Amino acid sequence: MTAETTGPVPGAAGGADDDGARWAPGDRILWRYRDNGDGHVHICRPVTVVRDTPDLLAVWMAPGTECVKPVLVDGTPVHDEPLATRYTAPRTTTRARWIGTGVLKLARPDEPWSVWLFWDHGWDFRSWYVNLEAPRVRWSGGVDSEDHFLDISVFPDRTWLWRDEDEFAQAQRAGLMDAAQARRVREAGAAAVEVIRAWGAPFADGWENWRPDPAWGVPELPADWDRTPARTAP
């Protein structure tokens, strides 16, 4: 057991800090996504660092965290908009609390996806979620990425299924992703499926048994959550 958790951290030995830009367990950073159209930050989630090595960034988003998310200009949730106009209707951002249990996010450098772990109440493990996205760009206050619409759910019995294929197709029709990028996303998804079928990291690493340190509490959303960062090493 380490100071940052109430349970084991799989592979906690990790790699050496070889670039001097690592965060320590318990540090609070921002996990952000940029809009696929104009590149402004439209999703921002304050998280707590669990582990940061050259091989893996693991962060915890606590229940009740205040986040930034996109909405339509009249306040309608994005997913309530019909698919045909979901990516063309004017949008803005709003602040909202994360509802439900917390989320553990795992990301390897240069991999075009991150893996999220979800639990039901009582720490009953539910599933992994492979979020296909651009490799994260690190900066002093966190990481930035771009969501690629297509996702994969993975279950404890090792079954899996594609998610949001309709949104992936609609994003292409709306001009948010050209054919070359869509092909690369599909290739990334196929690579992720190979990892799932082989039951490789992080699925076999025991992260579902991990628990956060209760002393961490809930990070605050800073007023300058959308600031332009000074970039650091990836």
Side-chain angles (χ1 to χ4, degrees), residues 41-231:
V41 175
H42 71 149
I43 295 173
C44 180
R45 297 167 180 169
V47 295
T48 302
V49 174
V50 174
R51 177 179 165 209
D52 183 26
T53 73
D55 301 317
L56 180 71
L57 174 63
V59 303
W60 169 245
M61 185 171 66
T65 298
E66 186 180 27
C67 305
V68 172
K69 66 177 184 178
V71 293
L72 303 189
V73 291
D74 64 358
T76 300
V78 169
H79 283 88
D80 287 352
E81 178 71 8
L83 184 62
T85 52
R86 188 169 299 170
Y87 300 118
T88 55
R91 295 188 182 190
T92 185
T93 58
T94 190
R95 294 175 175 233
R97 297 282 176 182
W98 183 264
I99 298 174
T101 59
V103 181
L104 178 67
K105 299 188 176 190
L106 310 174
R108 292 181 175 276
D110 301 324
E111 262 184 356
W113 64 77
S114 58
V115 179
W116 306 355
L117 282 76
F118 289 91
W119 289 264
D120 292 323
H121 292 288
W123 287 101
D124 183 18
F125 182 66
R126 185 195 316 165
S127 63
W128 296 268
Y129 189 83
V130 180
N131 195 73
L132 296 174
E133 60 190 44
R136 279 86 18 223
V137 175
R138 294 171 66 103
W139 54 286
S140 60
V143 293
D144 286 2
S145 182
E146 179 187 274
D147 184 75
H148 286 162
F149 303 98
L150 191 63
D151 308 295
I152 308 169
S153 283
V154 185
F155 304 99
D157 64 359
R158 302 193 183 188
T159 59
W160 60 273
L161 56 85
W162 293 106
R163 294 284 190 188
D164 303 325
E165 290 188 281
D166 57 343
E167 294 190 345
F168 181 62
Q170 184 61 35
Q172 294 171 66
R173 288 191 289 268
L176 297 180
M177 182 176 294
D178 62 25
Q181 185 181 18
R183 183 175 61 254
R184 291 192 296 270
V185 173
R186 276 292 185 188
E187 291 169 351
V193 167
E194 289 305 307
V195 174
I196 296 165
R197 287 173 171 160
W199 210 242
F203 306 104
D205 290 347
W207 282 102
E208 63 271 25
N209 300 314
W210 174 87
R211 301 292 183 268
D213 186 338
W216 282 344
V218 179
E220 293 184 3
L221 180 68
D224 60 347
W225 56 267
D226 59 347
R227 65 190 181 275
T228 300
R231 299 296 166 87

